Amino acid sequence: MAANSSVVSVAAAATTVPGVSTVADFSDLREIKKQLLLIAGLTRERGLLHSSKWSAELAFSLPALPLSELQPPPPLTEEDAQDVDAYTLAKAYFDVKEYDRAAHFLHGCNSKKAYFLYMYSRYLSGEKKKDDETVDSLGPLEKGQVKNEALRELRVELSRKHQARGLDGFGLYLYGVVLRKLDLVKEAIDVFVEATHVLPLHWGAWLELCNLITDKEMLKFLSLPDTWMKEFFLAHIYTELQLIEEALQKYQHLIDVGFSKSSYIVSQIAVAYHNIRDIDKALSIFNELRKQDPYRIENMDTFSNLLYVRSMKSELSYLAHNLCEIDKYRVETCCVIGNYYSLRSQHEKAALYFQRALKLNPRYLGAWTLMGHEYMEMKNTSAAIQAYRHAIEVNKRDYRAWYGLGQTYEILKMPFYCLYYYRRAHQLRPNDSRMLVALGECYEKLNQLVEAKKCYWRAYAVGDVEKMALVKLAKLHEQLTESEQAAQCYIKYIQDIYSCGETVEHLEESTAFRYLAQYYFKCKLWDEASTCAQKCCAFNDTREEGKALLRQILQLRNQGETPTSDTPVELSVILWRVFKRSCLKPSK
């Protein structure tokens, strides 16, 4: 079978253009823009609209080309010419989602472009029937029971074609998608890697490959083509794998080489900051992105998550109304509205909008996870478990779903299940203190106290966002009668909350001062005990204990009691005195 010249030309454009290196070379942005415009057209011809949009947006961010450098469409081959009538008619049917009709008129076509559209139409027909059956018969929570009946047949045909070396880059991409849908992950990865070598400019193949990579080690063993597209892939996969520092370095490099106007890169940077919970930075970037691209809907659900966390009700309301005016039947819009109702504690309405998002796209990850959260709020644990499990089916790297499952089984008092899911969440977010604290609590319930200690200490070491790890560690030491270690943890906890520079109520602050007052009292260190007892008087729940302790200290001082020489408190006394000098203010 003769090669389709359009596919050959785009592969050549990506790899053998004179003056453009095959490695990640961004020195000739004009040539890169030509390649992007070319692949945008080729993907559009095959109905791969998301890849076409991505390429077109990236091309738009680069300087315009003069007329003399604009390239005409690739010439037709003999096979293209023979199939042009059938292809033109079928593409019209395809564009209005009449996939079976498109496939019928493409049956028997020989050109690679027509053959791809024929197979892709059959695949999408199966997906559409599966989604229709899911929505009409079972509802979104039963999605996993319905299968695309066309997949096995497509796999047999594409495998035969692949063995005969009859698949171009687009055909390899579709073959990989079919294998992934059949859960043949290893085979799918191999085919997607092959697709990126044959057609390096097709973003869809890179994106599908990204969805199958579970960790950095797996990434190391992939033999990927050395093209400039690989840099975009690496930045994206680093973001997905929570390797945020590496991702931000890649995106900064892409901005420096000439893609500073790319709304895709700006949005990815905002998502990266969202993932490391740098909420102020992420909000700032999203606000700038909205000014640059006011009708953008992609990633606005992530923006709404940030507004939700900050309880910015009016801003979230404005965003929801704005997206409704643009397109109220987009999954992102439904998720934003769901977040708005959730923030208003209208959890049933919120769940309804997340369900609506899933009717529009049953494979939309964010909606499954958020719906699980709403069911948790409504105390519907069985529905929450189903929602989280579906989120994991869509993307096994979704730490929020694993964490949600852990919380659900914690409510159900099933600590062994809970431990498994928290471990999976921790593997995906090794430096997230919330996962570590949850793991520590789970180990504590299972009486694995050594493991619990490790988790709490690690949570403090990586930056405890909720300021609870040290308190839990102190209570654990307290339980084990390790008073010196408990005192040190409470001192560090108080030092942290006083040095953060903001007035926040910490529920455990009084607990820490009460323990330290009693600890120093037992050690007959009257100055330290007196200071802590005075701080206890500032809290309602410890005021009476503090006053009683101060009276006892005064009485013992009058009797001439002195500390015993063998009390092992040297380190905690030093820590306390350093802390007292640096940040402790006297109570009013």
Side-chain angles (χ1 to χ4, degrees):
M1 185 179 290
N4 185 317
S5 67
S6 62
V7 175
V8 171
S9 64
V10 77
T15 56
T16 58
V17 171
V20 179
S21 171
T22 58
V23 298
D25 183 5
F26 294 94
S27 59
D28 193 342
L29 291 180
R30 287 191 175 193
E31 202 57 58
I32 288 175
K33 176 144 186 169
K34 290 178 191 176
Q35 295 168 16
L36 285 167
L37 292 172
L38 180 59
I39 194 67
L42 293 176
T43 47
R44 186 170 58 251
E45 287 175 352
R46 287 160 179 79
L48 299 167
L49 301 182
H50 289 288
S51 292
S52 179
K53 183 175 80 165
W54 185 87
S55 302
E57 284 181 345
L58 206 59
F60 180 77
S61 69
L62 296 174
L65 294 172
L67 178 62
S68 59
E69 292 189 31
L70 290 174
Q71 295 178 318
L76 297 177
T77 65
E78 188 63 36
E79 287 177 336
D80 287 330
Q82 289 174 4
D83 295 339
V84 69
D85 289 341
Y87 166 80
T88 304
L89 178 62
K91 184 62 167 59
Y93 292 143
F94 181 94
D95 288 343
V96 293
K97 296 181 169 40
E98 295 183 11
Y99 302 123
D100 289 327
R101 204 174 178 191
H104 173 75
F105 284 96
L106 287 166
H107 185 67
C109 289
N110 294 319
S111 67
K112 289 192 174 181
K113 181 165 69 174
Y115 176 75
F116 173 83
L117 196 62
Y118 167 64
M119 298 299 281
Y120 193 41
S121 297
R122 290 171 61 190
Y123 166 75
L124 289 179
S125 171
E127 287 293 294
K128 186 173 185 295
K129 287 169 185 171
K130 181 189 78 169
D131 291 346
D132 290 347
E133 188 178 345
T134 296
V135 172
D136 295 340
S137 304
L138 301 172
L141 284 176
E142 305 298 328
K143 177 184 86 71
Q145 299 178 11
V146 186
K147 304 294 180 186
N148 182 344
E149 299 297 333
L151 289 176
R152 296 188 183 281
E153 198 175 319
L154 288 170
R155 182 201 170 194
V156 171
E157 292 182 40
L158 287 166
S159 175
R160 192 182 302 125
K161 198 92 166 174
H162 183 231
Q163 288 170 2
R165 298 185 178 277
L167 293 178
D168 62 3
F170 292 112
L172 288 166
Y173 159 76
L174 181 57
Y175 183 32
V177 169
V178 170
L179 291 171
R180 178 180 64 78
K181 286 282 186 177
L182 290 168
D183 292 323
L184 300 168
V185 175
K186 187 177 183 305
E187 295 92 328
I189 289 173
D190 292 340
V191 171
F192 284 131
V193 168
E194 186 180 349
T196 61
H197 279 276
V198 174
L199 192 62
L201 292 174
H202 180 207
W203 178 241
W206 293 101
L207 210 52
E208 287 288 347
L209 183 59
C210 177
N211 292 333
L212 297 176
I213 305 303
T214 55
D215 53 53
K216 197 173 182 180
E217 287 302 310
M218 195 173 176
L219 185 62
K220 287 178 183 175
F221 291 103
L222 294 181
S223 175
L224 299 171
D226 288 323
T227 75
W228 58 267
M229 281 288 285
K230 183 180 175 182
E231 295 299 297
F232 282 90
F233 165 76
L234 289 174
H236 190 93
I237 188 66
Y238 287 154
T239 306
E240 291 291 305
L241 293 176
Q242 307 298 326
L243 302 168
I244 304 302
E245 188 176 340
E246 292 93 327
L248 290 173
Q249 286 175 357
K250 287 286 181 188
Y251 284 126
Q252 187 57 52
H253 172 64
L254 291 170
I255 287 172
D256 293 342
V257 297
F259 290 96
S260 58
K261 294 181 180 178
S262 168
S263 59
Y264 163 77
I265 291 176
V266 173
S267 68
Q268 285 296 106
I269 291 172
V271 169
Y273 280 114
H274 164 270
N275 288 353
I276 56 172
R277 297 177 67 81
D278 190 338
I279 297 173
D280 291 331
K281 187 76 172 172
L283 282 172
S284 172
I285 296 170
F286 269 122
N287 283 319
E288 284 301 314
L289 182 63
R290 293 262 296 157
K291 290 176 186 175
Q292 178 184 337
D293 191 357
Y295 293 95
R296 182 186 182 88
I297 296 181
E298 291 95 337
N299 305 117
M300 288 302 109
D301 51 338
T302 304
F303 183 31
S304 76
N305 291 341
L306 295 163
L307 296 174
Y308 178 93
V309 169
R310 277 291 163 87
S311 299
M312 299 170 75
K313 204 174 285 185
S314 59
E315 290 85 349
L316 187 50
S317 173
Y318 175 78
L319 179 65
H321 281 94
N322 184 236
L323 294 185
C324 265
E325 289 174 2
I326 299 169
D327 187 349
K328 67 180 178 180
Y329 294 114
R330 278 281 291 268
V331 288
E332 294 93 340
T333 303
C334 293
C335 285
V336 171
I337 297 171
N339 272 337
Y340 171 66
Y341 281 120
S342 180
L343 187 57
R344 295 182 60 181
S345 299
Q346 295 177 260
H347 300 296
E348 280 141 6
K349 273 192 177 181
L352 188 66
Y353 273 94
F354 295 135
Q355 287 173 352
R356 184 177 293 182
L358 291 167
K359 286 181 181 179
L360 294 167
N361 182 1
R363 292 171 295 280
Y364 194 69
L365 173 66
W368 283 116
T369 307
L370 292 170
M371 191 162 70
H373 296 344
E374 295 311 305
Y375 283 130
M376 283 280 284
E377 293 286 349
M378 292 188 282
K379 307 291 189 288
N380 188 345
T381 51
S382 60
I385 287 169
Q386 282 183 301
Y388 289 136
R389 287 193 187 282
H390 284 305
I392 290 165
E393 281 178 26
V394 175
N395 185 353
K396 288 183 172 59
R397 292 195 305 263
D398 182 22
Y399 77 93
R400 297 169 303 169
W402 291 107
Y403 184 63
L405 279 169
Q407 288 181 309
T408 309
Y409 282 109
E410 191 173 355
I411 289 169
L412 295 172
K413 301 190 187 309
M414 301 170 73
F416 284 104
Y417 283 83
C418 171
L419 181 63
Y420 170 76
Y421 293 115
Y422 281 147
R423 274 177 174 166
R424 293 299 298 265
H426 170 58
Q427 286 168 3
L428 293 166
R429 298 271 291 189
N431 293 324
D432 193 321
S433 64
R434 294 167 302 162
M435 314 297 138
L436 286 158
V437 168
L439 259 181
E441 290 173 337
C442 211
Y443 279 125
E444 204 171 337
K445 285 171 186 169
L446 293 168
N447 208 33
Q448 298 182 31
L449 302 185
V450 174
E451 294 300 319
K453 281 184 191 177
K454 289 178 184 175
C455 289
Y456 292 143
W457 183 253
R458 173 71 178 156
Y460 170 69
V462 298
D464 182 18
V465 294
E466 293 173 340
K467 305 291 183 191
M468 286 303 296
L470 281 174
V471 171
K472 290 183 180 296
L473 183 57
K475 287 181 177 178
L476 199 53
H477 284 305
E478 199 176 335
Q479 182 184 330
L480 295 169
T481 64
E482 298 169 350
S483 55
E484 178 78 6
Q485 292 92 326
Q488 290 169 24
C489 289
Y490 278 128
I491 290 168
K492 286 193 179 86
Y493 166 71
I494 294 171
Q495 189 167 13
D496 283 351
I497 64 174
Y498 272 74
S499 61
C500 66
E502 54 187 67
T503 307
V504 181
E505 284 190 20
H506 294 273
L507 298 177
E508 300 291 345
E509 191 178 344
S510 60
T511 305
F513 280 119
R514 176 168 52 196
Y515 180 84
L516 287 170
Q518 293 169 349
Y519 169 73
Y520 287 123
F521 180 79
K522 285 175 187 173
C523 298
K524 301 182 181 180
L525 295 169
W526 312 133
D527 289 344
E528 288 78 5
S530 179
T531 304
C532 292
Q534 286 172 10
K535 295 301 292 184
C536 287
C537 295
F539 303 97
N540 291 331
D541 57 333
T542 56
R543 182 173 292 124
E544 294 307 317
E545 290 178 69
K547 288 178 180 178
L549 201 59
L550 284 170
R551 285 194 296 270
Q552 286 180 278
I553 292 168
L554 181 61
Q555 184 180 354
L556 290 169
R557 270 180 163 164
N558 291 336
Q559 294 173 1
E561 287 277 356
T562 56
T564 55
S565 59
D566 58 345
T567 308
V569 295
E570 290 82 2
L571 181 56
S572 60
V573 171
I574 292 167
L575 279 171
W576 176 257
R577 286 172 182 164
V578 169
F579 162 59
K580 187 179 174 183
R581 282 198 306 270
S582 62
C583 58
L584 188 61
K585 296 177 183 177
S587 299
K588 291 183 180 178

